[in-house]
Amino acid sequence: KKIMTKITNMTMLRNKVLKTIEDLENGKIDINEAGVIAKLSETVISGLKSEMQYALITNQEPNIPFYGEGTGVFLDKKDIKKIPQL
């Protein structure tokens, strides 16, 4: 049974996804396991994105520790239009 490391920030999540790609390419995991990891990562990121957008549209200072330091930086609403949509 695999021991999972608790993922507590975006850097760790990004590293997990990159390691998953590497493991898939090297045949260490199968496509199903990689797909589950990718889907779960996407779900986490979507939730965080929604949380950030909510804070911005309600003029709250974002405080999302998972994003790491700097999430409290508030953008003026005119600057939001400059943020590229992914």
Side-chain angles (χ1 to χ4, degrees), residues 21-74:
I21 293 168
E22 182 182 313
D23 287 350
L24 181 62
E25 289 173 340
N26 293 326
K28 292 181 180 178
I29 61 172
D30 65 30
I31 192 73
N32 293 326
E33 186 175 352
V36 168
I37 292 168
K39 188 66 177 168
L40 290 171
S41 298
E42 180 183 345
T43 301
V44 169
I45 291 167
S46 292
L48 293 167
K49 181 179 175 184
S50 295
E51 196 173 336
M52 179 66 78
Q53 288 172 336
Y54 177 80
L56 292 173
I57 64 172
T58 58
N59 286 328
Q60 296 179 35
E61 186 173 308
N63 183 12
I64 306 168
F66 195 86
Y67 274 129
E69 293 182 29
T71 60
V73 176
F74 187 75

CSV table of all heavy atoms in Angstrom, one decimal, residues 21-74:
chain,number,residue,atom,x,y,z
A,21,ILE,N,3.1,12.6,-14.4
A,21,ILE,CA,3.4,12.6,-15.9
A,21,ILE,C,4.7,11.7,-16.1
A,21,ILE,O,4.8,10.9,-17.0
A,21,ILE,CB,3.6,14.0,-16.4
A,21,ILE,CG1,2.2,14.7,-16.4
A,21,ILE,CG2,4.2,13.9,-17.9
A,21,ILE,CD1,2.3,16.2,-16.7
A,22,GLU,N,5.7,12.0,-15.3
A,22,GLU,CA,7.0,11.3,-15.4
A,22,GLU,C,6.8,9.8,-15.2
A,22,GLU,O,7.3,8.9,-15.9
A,22,GLU,CB,8.0,11.9,-14.4
A,22,GLU,CG,9.4,11.2,-14.4
A,22,GLU,CD,10.3,11.8,-13.4
A,22,GLU,OE1,10.3,13.0,-13.3
A,22,GLU,OE2,10.9,11.0,-12.7
A,23,ASP,N,6.0,9.5,-14.1
A,23,ASP,CA,5.8,8.1,-13.8
A,23,ASP,C,5.0,7.4,-14.9
A,23,ASP,O,5.2,6.2,-15.2
A,23,ASP,CB,5.0,7.9,-12.4
A,23,ASP,CG,5.9,8.2,-11.2
A,23,ASP,OD1,7.2,8.4,-11.4
A,23,ASP,OD2,5.4,8.4,-10.1
A,24,LEU,N,4.0,8.1,-15.5
A,24,LEU,CA,3.2,7.5,-16.6
A,24,LEU,C,4.1,7.2,-17.8
A,24,LEU,O,4.1,6.2,-18.4
A,24,LEU,CB,2.1,8.5,-16.9
A,24,LEU,CG,1.2,8.0,-18.1
A,24,LEU,CD1,0.5,6.7,-17.7
A,24,LEU,CD2,0.2,9.1,-18.4
A,25,GLU,N,5.0,8.2,-18.1
A,25,GLU,CA,5.9,8.0,-19.2
A,25,GLU,C,6.9,6.9,-19.0
A,25,GLU,O,7.3,6.2,-20.0
A,25,GLU,CB,6.7,9.3,-19.5
A,25,GLU,CG,5.8,10.4,-20.1
A,25,GLU,CD,6.6,11.8,-20.1
A,25,GLU,OE1,7.6,12.0,-19.4
A,25,GLU,OE2,6.1,12.6,-20.9
A,26,ASN,N,7.3,6.7,-17.8
A,26,ASN,CA,8.2,5.6,-17.4
A,26,ASN,C,7.6,4.3,-17.1
A,26,ASN,O,8.2,3.3,-16.7
A,26,ASN,CB,9.1,6.0,-16.3
A,26,ASN,CG,10.0,7.2,-16.7
A,26,ASN,OD1,10.5,7.2,-17.8
A,26,ASN,ND2,10.3,8.0,-15.7
A,27,GLY,N,6.3,4.2,-17.2
A,27,GLY,CA,5.5,3.0,-17.0
A,27,GLY,C,5.4,2.6,-15.6
A,27,GLY,O,5.1,1.4,-15.2
A,28,LYS,N,5.6,3.5,-14.6
A,28,LYS,CA,5.6,3.2,-13.2
A,28,LYS,C,4.1,3.2,-12.7
A,28,LYS,O,3.8,2.6,-11.7
A,28,LYS,CB,6.4,4.2,-12.4
A,28,LYS,CG,7.9,4.1,-12.6
A,28,LYS,CD,8.6,5.0,-11.8
A,28,LYS,CE,10.1,4.9,-12.0
A,28,LYS,NZ,10.9,5.9,-11.2
A,29,ILE,N,3.2,3.9,-13.4
A,29,ILE,CA,1.8,3.9,-13.1
A,29,ILE,C,1.0,3.7,-14.4
A,29,ILE,O,1.6,4.0,-15.5
A,29,ILE,CB,1.3,5.2,-12.3
A,29,ILE,CG1,1.6,6.4,-13.2
A,29,ILE,CG2,2.0,5.3,-11.0
A,29,ILE,CD1,1.0,7.7,-12.6
A,30,ASP,N,-0.2,3.3,-14.3
A,30,ASP,CA,-1.0,3.2,-15.5
A,30,ASP,C,-1.9,4.4,-15.7
A,30,ASP,O,-1.9,5.3,-14.9
A,30,ASP,CB,-1.9,1.9,-15.4
A,30,ASP,CG,-3.0,1.9,-14.3
A,30,ASP,OD1,-3.4,3.0,-14.0
A,30,ASP,OD2,-3.3,0.9,-13.8
A,31,ILE,N,-2.5,4.5,-16.9
A,31,ILE,CA,-3.2,5.6,-17.3
A,31,ILE,C,-4.4,5.9,-16.4
A,31,ILE,O,-4.8,7.1,-16.2
A,31,ILE,CB,-3.7,5.5,-18.8
A,31,ILE,CG1,-4.2,6.8,-19.4
A,31,ILE,CG2,-4.7,4.4,-18.9
A,31,ILE,CD1,-3.2,7.8,-19.6
A,32,ASN,N,-5.0,4.9,-15.8
A,32,ASN,CA,-6.1,5.1,-14.9
A,32,ASN,C,-5.7,5.8,-13.7
A,32,ASN,O,-6.4,6.8,-13.2
A,32,ASN,CB,-6.8,3.7,-14.6
A,32,ASN,CG,-7.5,3.1,-15.8
A,32,ASN,OD1,-8.0,3.8,-16.6
A,32,ASN,ND2,-7.4,1.8,-15.8
A,33,GLU,N,-4.6,5.4,-13.1
A,33,GLU,CA,-4.1,6.1,-11.9
A,33,GLU,C,-3.7,7.5,-12.2
A,33,GLU,O,-4.1,8.5,-11.4
A,33,GLU,CB,-2.9,5.3,-11.3
A,33,GLU,CG,-2.5,5.9,-10.0
A,33,GLU,CD,-1.3,5.1,-9.3
A,33,GLU,OE1,-1.0,4.0,-9.8
A,33,GLU,OE2,-0.8,5.6,-8.3
A,34,ALA,N,-3.1,7.7,-13.3
A,34,ALA,CA,-2.7,9.1,-13.7
A,34,ALA,C,-3.9,9.9,-13.9
A,34,ALA,O,-4.0,11.1,-13.6
A,34,ALA,CB,-1.8,9.0,-15.0
A,35,GLY,N,-5.0,9.4,-14.5
A,35,GLY,CA,-6.2,10.1,-14.8
A,35,GLY,C,-6.9,10.5,-13.5
A,35,GLY,O,-7.4,11.6,-13.4
A,36,VAL,N,-6.9,9.7,-12.5
A,36,VAL,CA,-7.5,10.0,-11.2
A,36,VAL,C,-6.7,11.1,-10.6
A,36,VAL,O,-7.3,12.1,-10.1
A,36,VAL,CB,-7.5,8.8,-10.3
A,36,VAL,CG1,-7.9,9.2,-8.9
A,36,VAL,CG2,-8.5,7.7,-10.8
A,37,ILE,N,-5.4,11.1,-10.6
A,37,ILE,CA,-4.6,12.2,-10.0
A,37,ILE,C,-4.9,13.5,-10.7
A,37,ILE,O,-5.0,14.5,-10.1
A,37,ILE,CB,-3.1,11.8,-10.0
A,37,ILE,CG1,-2.9,10.6,-9.0
A,37,ILE,CG2,-2.2,13.0,-9.7
A,37,ILE,CD1,-1.5,10.0,-9.2
A,38,ALA,N,-4.9,13.4,-12.1
A,38,ALA,CA,-5.2,14.6,-12.9
A,38,ALA,C,-6.6,15.2,-12.5
A,38,ALA,O,-6.7,16.4,-12.4
A,38,ALA,CB,-5.1,14.3,-14.3
A,39,LYS,N,-7.6,14.4,-12.5
A,39,LYS,CA,-8.9,14.8,-12.2
A,39,LYS,C,-9.0,15.4,-10.8
A,39,LYS,O,-9.7,16.5,-10.6
A,39,LYS,CB,-9.9,13.7,-12.3
A,39,LYS,CG,-11.4,14.1,-12.3
A,39,LYS,CD,-11.7,15.0,-13.4
A,39,LYS,CE,-13.2,15.3,-13.4
A,39,LYS,NZ,-13.5,16.4,-14.3
A,40,LEU,N,-8.4,14.8,-9.8
A,40,LEU,CA,-8.4,15.3,-8.4
A,40,LEU,C,-7.7,16.7,-8.4
A,40,LEU,O,-8.2,17.6,-7.7
A,40,LEU,CB,-7.8,14.4,-7.5
A,40,LEU,CG,-8.6,13.1,-7.2
A,40,LEU,CD1,-7.8,12.1,-6.4
A,40,LEU,CD2,-10.0,13.4,-6.5
A,41,SER,N,-6.6,16.8,-9.1
A,41,SER,CA,-5.8,18.0,-9.1
A,41,SER,C,-6.7,19.1,-9.7
A,41,SER,O,-6.7,20.3,-9.3
A,41,SER,CB,-4.5,17.9,-9.9
A,41,SER,OG,-3.7,16.9,-9.3
A,42,GLU,N,-7.3,18.8,-10.8
A,42,GLU,CA,-8.2,19.8,-11.5
A,42,GLU,C,-9.3,20.3,-10.6
A,42,GLU,O,-9.7,21.4,-10.5
A,42,GLU,CB,-8.8,19.1,-12.8
A,42,GLU,CG,-9.7,20.0,-13.5
A,42,GLU,CD,-10.4,19.3,-14.7
A,42,GLU,OE1,-9.9,18.2,-15.1
A,42,GLU,OE2,-11.3,19.9,-15.3
A,43,THR,N,-9.9,19.3,-9.8
A,43,THR,CA,-11.0,19.7,-8.9
A,43,THR,C,-10.5,20.6,-7.8
A,43,THR,O,-11.1,21.6,-7.5
A,43,THR,CB,-11.5,18.4,-8.2
A,43,THR,OG1,-12.1,17.6,-9.3
A,43,THR,CG2,-12.7,18.7,-7.2
A,44,VAL,N,-9.3,20.4,-7.3
A,44,VAL,CA,-8.7,21.2,-6.2
A,44,VAL,C,-8.5,22.6,-6.8
A,44,VAL,O,-8.8,23.6,-6.2
A,44,VAL,CB,-7.4,20.6,-5.7
A,44,VAL,CG1,-6.6,21.6,-4.8
A,44,VAL,CG2,-7.7,19.4,-4.9
A,45,ILE,N,-7.9,22.7,-8.0
A,45,ILE,CA,-7.5,24.0,-8.6
A,45,ILE,C,-8.8,24.8,-8.9
A,45,ILE,O,-8.9,26.0,-8.7
A,45,ILE,CB,-6.6,23.8,-9.8
A,45,ILE,CG1,-5.2,23.3,-9.4
A,45,ILE,CG2,-6.5,25.1,-10.6
A,45,ILE,CD1,-4.4,22.8,-10.5
A,46,SER,N,-9.8,24.1,-9.4
A,46,SER,CA,-11.1,24.8,-9.7
A,46,SER,C,-11.7,25.4,-8.5
A,46,SER,O,-12.2,26.5,-8.5
A,46,SER,CB,-12.1,23.8,-10.4
A,46,SER,OG,-11.6,23.5,-11.7
A,47,GLY,N,-11.7,24.6,-7.4
A,47,GLY,CA,-12.2,25.1,-6.1
A,47,GLY,C,-11.4,26.3,-5.6
A,47,GLY,O,-12.0,27.3,-5.2
A,48,LEU,N,-10.1,26.3,-5.7
A,48,LEU,CA,-9.3,27.4,-5.3
A,48,LEU,C,-9.5,28.6,-6.1
A,48,LEU,O,-9.6,29.8,-5.7
A,48,LEU,CB,-7.8,27.0,-5.3
A,48,LEU,CG,-7.4,26.0,-4.3
A,48,LEU,CD1,-6.0,25.5,-4.6
A,48,LEU,CD2,-7.4,26.5,-2.9
A,49,LYS,N,-9.7,28.4,-7.4
A,49,LYS,CA,-9.9,29.5,-8.4
A,49,LYS,C,-11.3,30.2,-8.0
A,49,LYS,O,-11.4,31.4,-8.0
A,49,LYS,CB,-9.9,29.0,-9.8
A,49,LYS,CG,-10.2,30.0,-10.8
A,49,LYS,CD,-10.1,29.4,-12.2
A,49,LYS,CE,-10.5,30.5,-13.3
A,49,LYS,NZ,-10.5,29.9,-14.6
A,50,SER,N,-12.3,29.4,-7.7
A,50,SER,CA,-13.6,29.9,-7.4
A,50,SER,C,-13.5,30.7,-6.1
A,50,SER,O,-14.1,31.8,-6.0
A,50,SER,CB,-14.6,28.8,-7.2
A,50,SER,OG,-14.8,28.2,-8.4
A,51,GLU,N,-12.7,30.2,-5.1
A,51,GLU,CA,-12.5,30.9,-3.9
A,51,GLU,C,-11.9,32.3,-4.1
A,51,GLU,O,-12.3,33.3,-3.5
A,51,GLU,CB,-11.7,30.0,-2.9
A,51,GLU,CG,-11.8,30.5,-1.5
A,51,GLU,CD,-11.1,29.4,-0.6
A,51,GLU,OE1,-10.9,28.3,-0.9
A,51,GLU,OE2,-10.6,29.9,0.5
A,52,MET,N,-10.9,32.3,-4.9
A,52,MET,CA,-10.1,33.5,-5.2
A,52,MET,C,-11.1,34.5,-6.0
A,52,MET,O,-11.1,35.7,-5.6
A,52,MET,CB,-8.9,33.2,-6.1
A,52,MET,CG,-8.1,34.5,-6.5
A,52,MET,SD,-7.3,35.3,-5.1
A,52,MET,CE,-5.9,34.2,-4.8
A,53,GLN,N,-11.8,34.0,-7.0
A,53,GLN,CA,-12.7,34.9,-7.7
A,53,GLN,C,-13.8,35.5,-6.8
A,53,GLN,O,-14.1,36.7,-6.9
A,53,GLN,CB,-13.3,34.2,-8.9
A,53,GLN,CG,-12.4,33.9,-10.0
A,53,GLN,CD,-12.9,32.9,-11.0
A,53,GLN,OE1,-13.9,32.2,-10.8
A,53,GLN,NE2,-12.4,33.0,-12.2
A,54,TYR,N,-14.3,34.7,-5.9
A,54,TYR,CA,-15.3,35.2,-4.9
A,54,TYR,C,-14.8,36.3,-4.1
A,54,TYR,O,-15.4,37.3,-3.9
A,54,TYR,CB,-15.8,34.0,-4.1
A,54,TYR,CG,-16.8,34.5,-3.0
A,54,TYR,CD1,-18.1,34.7,-3.4
A,54,TYR,CD2,-16.4,34.8,-1.7
A,54,TYR,CE1,-19.1,35.2,-2.4
A,54,TYR,CE2,-17.3,35.2,-0.8
A,54,TYR,CZ,-18.7,35.4,-1.1
A,54,TYR,OH,-19.6,35.9,-0.2
A,55,ALA,N,-13.6,36.1,-3.6
A,55,ALA,CA,-12.9,37.1,-2.7
A,55,ALA,C,-12.8,38.4,-3.5
A,55,ALA,O,-13.0,39.5,-3.0
A,55,ALA,CB,-11.6,36.7,-2.2
A,56,LEU,N,-12.3,38.3,-4.8
A,56,LEU,CA,-12.1,39.5,-5.6
A,56,LEU,C,-13.4,40.2,-5.9
A,56,LEU,O,-13.4,41.5,-5.8
A,56,LEU,CB,-11.4,39.1,-6.9
A,56,LEU,CG,-9.9,38.7,-6.7
A,56,LEU,CD1,-9.4,38.1,-8.0
A,56,LEU,CD2,-9.1,39.7,-6.1
A,57,ILE,N,-14.4,39.5,-6.3
A,57,ILE,CA,-15.7,40.2,-6.7
A,57,ILE,C,-16.4,40.8,-5.5
A,57,ILE,O,-17.3,41.6,-5.6
A,57,ILE,CB,-16.6,39.3,-7.5
A,57,ILE,CG1,-17.1,38.1,-6.8
A,57,ILE,CG2,-16.0,39.0,-8.8
A,57,ILE,CD1,-18.2,37.3,-7.5
A,58,THR,N,-16.1,40.3,-4.3
A,58,THR,CA,-16.8,40.8,-3.1
A,58,THR,C,-15.9,41.8,-2.3
A,58,THR,O,-16.2,42.1,-1.2
A,58,THR,CB,-17.2,39.6,-2.1
A,58,THR,OG1,-16.0,38.9,-1.8
A,58,THR,CG2,-18.2,38.8,-2.7
A,59,ASN,N,-14.8,42.2,-3.0
A,59,ASN,CA,-13.9,43.2,-2.4
A,59,ASN,C,-13.3,42.7,-1.1
A,59,ASN,O,-13.0,43.5,-0.2
A,59,ASN,CB,-14.5,44.6,-2.2
A,59,ASN,CG,-14.7,45.3,-3.5
A,59,ASN,OD1,-13.9,45.1,-4.4
A,59,ASN,ND2,-15.7,46.1,-3.6
A,60,GLN,N,-13.1,41.4,-1.0
A,60,GLN,CA,-12.4,40.9,0.2
A,60,GLN,C,-10.9,40.6,-0.2
A,60,GLN,O,-10.6,40.4,-1.3
A,60,GLN,CB,-13.0,39.6,0.6
A,60,GLN,CG,-14.5,39.7,1.1
A,60,GLN,CD,-15.0,38.4,1.5
A,60,GLN,OE1,-14.3,37.5,2.0
A,60,GLN,NE2,-16.3,38.2,1.2
A,61,GLU,N,-10.1,40.7,0.8
A,61,GLU,CA,-8.7,40.4,0.6
A,61,GLU,C,-8.5,38.9,0.6
A,61,GLU,O,-8.9,38.2,1.5
A,61,GLU,CB,-7.8,41.0,1.7
A,61,GLU,CG,-6.3,40.8,1.4
A,61,GLU,CD,-5.5,41.5,2.4
A,61,GLU,OE1,-5.7,42.7,2.6
A,61,GLU,OE2,-4.6,40.9,3.0
A,62,PRO,N,-8.1,38.3,-0.6
A,62,PRO,CA,-8.0,36.8,-0.6
A,62,PRO,C,-7.0,36.3,0.4
A,62,PRO,O,-5.9,36.9,0.6
A,62,PRO,CB,-7.4,36.6,-2.0
A,62,PRO,CG,-7.7,37.8,-2.8
A,62,PRO,CD,-7.7,38.9,-1.8
A,63,ASN,N,-7.4,35.3,1.1
A,63,ASN,CA,-6.5,34.6,2.1
A,63,ASN,C,-6.7,33.1,1.9
A,63,ASN,O,-7.5,32.5,2.5
A,63,ASN,CB,-6.8,35.1,3.5
A,63,ASN,CG,-5.9,34.5,4.5
A,63,ASN,OD1,-4.8,33.9,4.1
A,63,ASN,ND2,-6.2,34.5,5.8
A,64,ILE,N,-5.9,32.6,1.0
A,64,ILE,CA,-6.0,31.2,0.6
A,64,ILE,C,-4.6,30.6,0.8
A,64,ILE,O,-3.8,30.6,-0.1
A,64,ILE,CB,-6.5,31.0,-0.8
A,64,ILE,CG1,-7.8,31.8,-1.0
A,64,ILE,CG2,-6.7,29.5,-1.1
A,64,ILE,CD1,-8.3,31.9,-2.4
A,65,PRO,N,-4.3,30.0,2.0
A,65,PRO,CA,-3.0,29.5,2.3
A,65,PRO,C,-2.5,28.5,1.3
A,65,PRO,O,-1.3,28.5,1.1
A,65,PRO,CB,-3.1,28.9,3.7
A,65,PRO,CG,-4.3,29.6,4.3
A,65,PRO,CD,-5.2,29.9,3.1
A,66,PHE,N,-3.3,27.8,0.7
A,66,PHE,CA,-2.9,26.7,-0.3
A,66,PHE,C,-2.1,27.4,-1.4
A,66,PHE,O,-1.2,26.8,-2.0
A,66,PHE,CB,-4.1,26.0,-0.8
A,66,PHE,CG,-3.7,24.7,-1.5
A,66,PHE,CD1,-3.5,23.5,-0.8
A,66,PHE,CD2,-3.5,24.6,-2.9
A,66,PHE,CE1,-3.2,22.3,-1.4
A,66,PHE,CE2,-3.2,23.5,-3.5
A,66,PHE,CZ,-3.0,22.3,-2.8
A,67,TYR,N,-2.5,28.6,-1.8
A,67,TYR,CA,-1.8,29.3,-2.9
A,67,TYR,C,-0.4,29.7,-2.5
A,67,TYR,O,0.4,30.1,-3.3
A,67,TYR,CB,-2.6,30.5,-3.3
A,67,TYR,CG,-3.6,30.3,-4.3
A,67,TYR,CD1,-4.9,30.8,-4.1
A,67,TYR,CD2,-3.4,29.6,-5.5
A,67,TYR,CE1,-5.9,30.5,-5.1
A,67,TYR,CE2,-4.3,29.4,-6.5
A,67,TYR,CZ,-5.6,29.9,-6.2
A,67,TYR,OH,-6.6,29.7,-7.2
A,68,GLY,N,-0.1,29.8,-1.2
A,68,GLY,CA,1.2,30.2,-0.7
A,68,GLY,C,1.1,31.7,-0.3
A,68,GLY,O,0.1,32.3,-0.2
A,69,GLU,N,2.3,32.3,-0.1
A,69,GLU,CA,2.4,33.7,0.3
A,69,GLU,C,1.9,34.5,-0.9
A,69,GLU,O,2.1,34.2,-2.0
A,69,GLU,CB,3.8,34.0,0.7
A,69,GLU,CG,4.2,33.3,2.0
A,69,GLU,CD,5.6,33.7,2.5
A,69,GLU,OE1,6.0,34.8,2.2
A,69,GLU,OE2,6.2,32.9,3.1
A,70,GLY,N,1.4,35.7,-0.5
A,70,GLY,CA,1.0,36.6,-1.6
A,70,GLY,C,-0.4,36.6,-2.0
A,70,GLY,O,-0.8,37.4,-2.9
A,71,THR,N,-1.2,35.7,-1.4
A,71,THR,CA,-2.6,35.7,-1.9
A,71,THR,C,-3.4,36.8,-1.3
A,71,THR,O,-4.5,37.1,-1.7
A,71,THR,CB,-3.3,34.3,-1.5
A,71,THR,OG1,-3.3,34.2,0.0
A,71,THR,CG2,-2.7,33.2,-2.1
A,72,GLY,N,-2.8,37.5,-0.3
A,72,GLY,CA,-3.5,38.7,0.2
A,72,GLY,C,-3.3,39.9,-0.6
A,72,GLY,O,-3.9,41.0,-0.3
A,73,VAL,N,-2.6,39.8,-1.7
A,73,VAL,CA,-2.4,41.0,-2.6
A,73,VAL,C,-3.7,41.2,-3.3
A,73,VAL,O,-4.2,40.4,-4.0
A,73,VAL,CB,-1.3,40.7,-3.6
A,73,VAL,CG1,-1.2,41.9,-4.6
A,73,VAL,CG2,0.0,40.5,-2.9
A,74,PHE,N,-4.3,42.4,-3.1
A,74,PHE,CA,-5.6,42.7,-3.7
A,74,PHE,C,-5.4,43.4,-5.0
A,74,PHE,O,-4.5,44.3,-5.1
A,74,PHE,CB,-6.4,43.6,-2.7
A,74,PHE,CG,-7.8,43.8,-3.2
A,74,PHE,CD1,-8.7,42.8,-3.2
A,74,PHE,CD2,-8.1,45.0,-3.8
A,74,PHE,CE1,-10.0,42.9,-3.6
A,74,PHE,CE2,-9.4,45.2,-4.3
A,74,PHE,CZ,-10.4,44.1,-4.2
